[in-house]
Amino acid sequence: MKGKMFFKSLSITGLSVAAALTIGSLAFNSNALAGSARDYISVVGSSTVYPFSTVVAEQFGKTAGFKTPKIESTGTGGGMKLFCSGVGVQHPDIANASRRMKKSECEMCDKNGVTDILEVKIGYDGIVLANSKKSAPMNITRKELFLALAASVPEPGGAESVVPNPYKTWKDINPALPAVKIEILGPPPTSGTRDAFVELVMETGGSQFPWIKALEKSDKDKFKSICHTIREDGAYIEAGENDNLIVQKLDANPNAFGIFGFSFLDQNGDKIQGTPVEGIVPTFEAIADGKYSVSRPLYFYVKKAHVGVIPGMKEFLKEFSSDKAWGNDGYLSEKGLIPMPDDEKKAFNTDVQTLKSLSCGDL
Amino acid sequence: MSETSNIDIVKKGLGKRYRAEKRFRIYGICAIASSLIFLAFLFISIGSNGYTAFQQTFIRLTVHFDPEILGDTTNRESIASANFPSIVKQSLSMMFPEVTSRSDKRLLNALISSGASYNVRDIVIENPNCIGKTMQVWVPADDDVDMLIKGHINREAQEGERRLNDKQLGWIEQLEKDGNLKKRFNMTFFTAGDSREPELAGIWGAVSGSFFTMIVTLVLSFPIGVAAAIYLEEFAKKNRWTDIIEVNINNLAAVPSIVFGLLGLAVFLNFFGMPRSAPLVGGLVMTLMTLPVIIIASRAALKSVPPSIREAALGVGASQVQMVFHHVLPLALPGMLTGAIIGMARALGETAPLLMIGMVAFIVDIPSGFTDPSTALPVQIFLWADSPERGFLEKTSAAIMVLLTFLIAMNALAVILRKKFEKRW
């Protein structure tokens, strides 16, 4: 009987409290939050830039006396959409990108009133092909990688037409390579790493066939369909966005190769090795001086209208562009970011100080 | 004549029927055994990966709080910007006076976590009298050292393949020999927010975020769900409209959670202009997701109250509302609570809808209210699982263990409530 009374009073108070709260919160939401000021920096964008951006944010939050910036990993495209949706505290201040802003994105920004944008390049990221230390390294070219991964490849006889990819082992592509089944773990199409890999390896590899290169000018759609379509017969395994998982799988299967960002190779050097592409081993130095071909620049974009409105924007930019962050021995290089050459660093440092505006025409 | 032949037919088929029964039992045992094996595999792999995260390698430094290096330490602001990194570096080089070259000093300093200077700073903030004195301080070691001590980095590997070189290994061995390097309980893991340094990362920020989200969810979804269930079950007329509503509630319970995230993005963020990454919005989205579960469970609980209770109440002159609130609801409440707790447990483990409303983010500061930016426990697991540093591997598993503990505790509470208060007729 006591339990009954308890539940009776509980249920009645519960219902009335909830009703009050619901009404209260709705009223509170519609007016109080819409215009509320934000006292922390909001960053969105690429999951590749995320590990670097977060380190700077953490340093900044601990030393500069401002709140720690909030960093969302939305992917480059998703981040640009949020960034370009308007000016005001409900929109993010900075967008990270693992490629340069597209002209279409800049125009979208323009349309929504985001007109003054500062572009900052932060450094380079290498994309590596790696396999387990337990097996031998394999020297490979981008053309061979294209032949191993494309859904349809030029007819082996030499005719100017494509056939579904017939290659099962590496030896089928080049007799000098081992007779091991082609097995490559890599990112899904939603990933920026995949976009960059397709552009840097597949397009370049495909273009080494003169007739495919000619297609780029004459029939761009066909060129794209040949170079951008990755085979789906099991040789290429989409391993999700989780690069740690790829590393673990490579460790378990010595015949498999994986595609991921350089920082994962840097952190797991005792388990996996980078595959030399065109004879160049992916090392920090080789990527930094541009010898290793499969690398891409990383950027972030700043909404200038928010500088001075959101507390700490200027100081955050200063922290990011300081030598102790993106310098050759800075803490970002410890996390696997490849620093820019000194003159480039200097140029972007001036851009940050003068808050130089980007114009869509330059993209 | 015909009787014996019937018996014969039965006897003939008997062996086959017994065998079929035996086979079926074996199938059942196999099914249970295989699911138990999967469960055991899951727990063992998470446990064996994660238990080491509850310990952390610390290095003992003899810190001299030199006022000349620190500079002005008269108030809180000047303490915050005082030169604590130098103090830490100085005490380390006092321990290894033979290290003199610049590059070697860099290697030596890399053994200590970049968070060590904050530890030392906190000591000064707590006790400003220690300026000018010398103290023994345990500071966290760098994550590479921690991984080496825990055996996740192979000491025998080639020098170029390890993240620590031979010199650093030598120093670590000396520290171990002198008793200046020890594994201790990892308090940081339970008190800190997220960090990009594995040795400084903790789950408290994510736990608080989950807490605020769950409060919003509970406060909104339980009363609304129960009220809806009572109305539909006890008051509403049976007609086409209530049929449509019922079908829709059942459908909503099966909608993938990401859809609720998209709804939240469109309604709460874009239309109402609520802040991104806030537990308030997370809670609202989770409310939408949990409501159908609670309504269905509550209706089932109400249905299981026998009609005789209602009739007796009405018979002695109670009104419809009195009958429901005085007699039916108290009897149905244990079942409703069970449904609510299970719905909440599901919401606690959910990440997909949070992705759309910006709660998948790097947030260091511990949220202190419903509109502060925050993440949730499963999101923290997702983010750590994606980090390149090896130290996060064990942190991921440890965070999974914490989340599982919460889930098991909630489910246990549901079972206990049911056992204690449920009435059977």
Side-chain angles (χ1 to χ4, degrees):
Chain A
M1 238 18 227
K2 223 176 158 191
K4 218 169 152 182
M5 284 303 289
F6 163 71
F7 277 125
K8 195 160 82 183
S9 52
L10 185 85
S11 56
I12 290 165
T13 39
L15 278 173
S16 45
V17 164
L21 268 168
T22 324
I23 296 161
S25 69
L26 280 178
F28 165 65
N29 290 335
S30 47
N31 45 42
L33 295 178
S36 69
R38 180 152 53 78
D39 58 353
Y40 56 89
I41 300 169
S42 164
V43 183
V44 294
S46 163
S47 54
T48 314
V49 187
Y50 173 89
F52 308 122
S53 197
T54 44
V55 181
V56 180
E58 195 177 345
Q59 276 290 329
F60 174 74
K62 279 185 177 149
T63 52
F66 292 97
K67 277 201 171 176
T68 312
K70 177 191 85 181
I71 295 161
E72 281 180 53
S73 163
T74 60
T76 303
M80 287 294 175
K81 230 178 178 171
L82 287 168
F83 179 77
C84 288
S85 52
V87 172
V89 285
Q90 69 271 37
H91 302 293
D93 314 312
I94 295 175
N96 293 330
S98 57
R99 53 163 169 78
R100 213 167 173 209
M101 187 185 244
K102 284 181 191 160
K103 199 168 184 180
S104 57
E105 287 164 344
C106 187
E107 281 158 3
M108 176 170 70
C109 266
D110 225 32
K111 219 172 67 201
N112 292 326
V114 187
T115 45
D116 278 333
I117 300 169
L118 164 72
E119 180 186 57
V120 186
K121 195 195 267 187
I122 60 168
Y124 294 88
D125 177 40
I127 296 173
V128 298
L129 183 75
N131 65 344
S132 165
K133 274 249 150 92
K134 290 169 204 154
S135 54
M138 183 167 79
N139 205 335
I140 205 166
T141 66
R142 277 177 284 180
K143 188 175 169 184
E144 286 159 3
L145 266 176
F146 166 75
L147 291 176
L149 283 172
S152 43
V153 295
E155 212 237 303
E160 292 190 359
S161 62
V162 288
V163 291
N165 198 328
Y167 304 114
K168 296 278 176 241
T169 68
W170 292 102
K171 203 181 167 78
D172 295 345
I173 298 170
N174 178 354
L177 295 174
V180 172
K181 207 177 122 208
I182 299 173
E183 229 178 318
I184 298 176
L185 298 142
T190 47
S191 151
T193 312
R194 166 85 167 256
D195 289 345
F197 181 79
V198 165
E199 189 188 320
L200 294 166
V201 174
M202 301 295 284
E203 279 192 14
T204 333
S207 298
Q208 290 182 16
F209 293 91
W211 67 273
I212 295 184
K213 193 174 169 59
L215 275 182
E216 192 179 355
K217 293 229 169 63
S218 58
D219 188 353
K220 191 127 195 173
D221 286 340
K222 184 141 189 235
F223 174 76
K224 276 198 168 162
S225 90
I226 294 175
C227 292
H228 287 210
T229 320
I230 288 194
R231 65 199 290 189
E232 284 169 349
D233 57 357
Y236 182 81
I237 303 151
E238 276 175 16
E241 294 261 17
N242 191 332
D243 294 347
N244 258 327
L245 200 69
I246 301 185
V247 172
Q248 284 173 24
K249 282 185 177 160
L250 292 185
D251 195 37
N253 179 1
N255 286 335
F257 286 81
I259 298 168
F260 38 75
F262 173 74
S263 50
F264 282 84
L265 177 65
D266 192 35
Q267 292 278 345
N268 294 290
D270 57 339
K271 283 187 183 162
I272 51 174
Q273 58 191 351
T275 306
V277 175
E278 269 123 34
I280 309 286
V281 183
T283 58
F284 189 90
E285 293 75 20
I287 302 172
D289 54 22
K291 274 195 202 126
Y292 183 73
S293 51
V294 196
S295 79
R296 58 175 159 171
L298 304 177
Y299 297 88
F300 68 84
Y301 293 87
V302 184
K303 211 175 274 178
K304 275 172 68 180
H306 287 193
V307 178
V309 178
I310 305 290
M313 287 282 281
K314 262 209 164 112
E315 290 79 358
F316 181 67
L317 291 177
K318 207 174 131 201
E319 172 78 33
F320 219 129
S321 58
S322 70
D323 219 40
K324 83 177 179 186
W326 75 8
N328 292 338
D329 295 320
Y331 54 75
L332 286 175
S333 74
E334 269 167 42
K335 290 283 175 191
L337 180 79
I338 316 290
M340 292 179 278
D342 284 340
D343 46 341
E344 219 176 346
K345 238 181 289 179
K346 221 168 156 186
F348 278 105
N349 210 333
T350 346
D351 285 1
V352 167
Q353 267 156 24
T354 55
L355 293 176
K356 186 183 161 203
S357 279
L358 174 81
S359 87
C360 294
D362 294 346
L363 294 172
Chain B
M1 189 67 196
S2 71
E3 268 181 30
T4 47
S5 76
N6 269 352
I7 290 274
D8 281 345
I9 292 169
V10 169
K11 276 192 177 154
K12 224 170 100 195
L14 207 54
K16 204 177 161 194
R17 276 160 60 193
Y18 279 142
R19 281 198 300 279
E21 189 152 315
K22 212 170 176 183
R23 268 202 310 277
F24 183 74
R25 285 182 188 199
I26 290 171
Y27 294 152
I29 290 170
C30 286
I32 290 175
S34 56
S35 44
L36 278 180
I37 288 169
F38 284 133
L39 196 66
F41 181 73
L42 175 80
F43 279 133
I44 290 169
S45 73
I46 290 173
S48 62
N49 274 329
Y51 78 96
T52 47
F54 298 114
Q55 285 207 316
Q56 182 78 45
T57 311
F58 283 79
I59 292 174
R60 180 164 57 192
L61 294 180
T62 309
V63 179
H64 175 53
F65 294 93
D66 191 341
E68 269 172 39
I69 299 178
L70 283 177
D72 177 28
T73 50
T74 41
N75 57 39
R76 264 189 101 93
E77 278 91 71
S78 63
I79 288 178
S81 57
N83 195 356
F84 287 103
S86 289
I87 290 273
V88 173
K89 281 177 190 160
Q90 194 205 30
S91 25
L92 203 59
S93 56
M94 271 185 336
M95 222 186 268
F96 295 96
E98 72 276 10
V99 180
T100 48
S101 83
R102 209 181 111 80
S103 61
D104 281 0
K105 272 195 170 160
R106 269 180 68 93
L107 288 175
L108 182 62
N109 290 331
L111 296 182
I112 299 258
S113 162
S114 60
S117 54
Y118 308 120
N119 281 35
V120 177
R121 182 183 71 189
D122 290 345
I123 292 174
V124 177
I125 288 175
E126 220 168 83
N127 178 15
N129 301 330
C130 62
I131 299 287
K133 289 184 191 139
T134 303
M135 270 169 100
Q136 301 246 321
V137 184
W138 284 95
V139 297
D142 188 63
D143 55 316
D144 289 330
V145 178
D146 190 43
M147 288 295 103
L148 182 90
I149 297 296
K150 287 172 180 168
H152 296 307
I153 292 179
N154 186 1
R155 286 189 200 215
E156 263 69 62
Q158 292 281 310
E159 184 171 11
E161 296 167 2
R162 295 186 238 111
R163 286 186 55 81
L164 295 165
N165 66 18
D166 286 348
K167 259 186 201 154
Q168 287 172 309
L169 269 191
W171 294 326
I172 291 169
E173 269 153 25
Q174 197 188 327
L175 281 170
E176 271 179 313
K177 214 173 64 203
D178 300 343
N180 286 331
L181 188 147
K182 250 190 203 136
K183 276 199 284 186
R184 308 169 93 206
F185 181 67
N186 186 2
M187 208 47 204
T188 320
F189 184 70
F190 295 100
T191 55
D194 197 4
S195 169
R196 289 283 300 134
E197 305 300 328
E199 72 273 13
L200 303 176
I203 51 164
W204 187 241
V207 169
S208 331
S210 274
F211 174 76
F212 287 125
T213 310
M214 288 299 111
I215 291 282
V216 173
T217 310
L218 184 68
V219 160
L220 290 176
S221 68
F222 186 61
I224 296 175
V226 169
I230 291 174
Y231 182 77
L232 283 173
E233 200 58 41
E234 304 287 339
F235 295 96
K237 289 194 189 75
K238 244 343 217 159
N239 59 23
R240 193 149 32 121
W241 289 112
T242 46
D243 279 349
I244 290 174
I245 291 174
E246 189 167 345
V247 167
N248 276 311
I249 289 172
N250 288 333
N251 276 339
L252 272 182
V255 166
S257 54
I258 186 87
V259 176
F260 290 107
L262 284 166
L263 187 77
L265 174 70
V267 175
F268 300 125
L269 294 188
N270 293 348
F271 185 71
F272 284 115
M274 293 188 195
R276 273 182 83 79
S277 318
L280 177 69
V281 184
L284 286 169
V285 170
M286 293 298 184
T287 302
L288 297 178
M289 205 187 78
T290 350
L291 256 182
V293 178
I294 294 182
I295 293 176
I296 291 169
S298 302
R299 291 188 70 178
L302 286 169
K303 264 197 197 112
S304 71
V305 177
S308 56
I309 304 269
R310 294 187 181 82
E311 280 153 18
L314 294 175
V316 295
S319 71
Q320 186 98 354
V321 173
Q322 282 174 329
M323 179 268 281
V324 170
F325 281 93
H326 294 183
H327 302 280
V328 179
L329 187 60
L331 290 171
L333 211 54
M336 294 176 170
L337 280 179
T338 311
I341 291 172
I342 288 170
M344 297 294 290
R346 192 187 143 199
L348 179 67
E350 198 63 68
T351 31
L354 302 180
L355 192 76
M356 306 309 302
I357 55 165
M359 283 181 84
V360 179
F362 177 73
I363 288 155
V364 176
D365 301 330
I366 311 282
S368 57
F370 293 102
T371 52
D372 281 357
S374 67
T375 56
L377 255 178
V379 173
Q380 191 65 75
I381 293 168
F382 169 74
L383 288 174
W384 282 349
D386 219 20
S387 303
E389 290 81 9
R390 199 170 290 172
F392 279 119
L393 221 59
E394 56 170 33
K395 293 278 186 296
T396 308
S397 295
I400 292 173
M401 283 154 89
V402 171
L403 180 63
L404 280 178
T405 313
F406 277 115
L407 292 177
I408 290 170
M410 284 171 87
N411 283 329
L413 186 69
V415 171
I416 290 167
L417 276 176
R418 200 171 57 214
K419 279 254 146 61
K420 199 166 158 75
F421 294 110
E422 192 178 45
K423 251 196 170 148
R424 289 192 179 278
W425 282 281

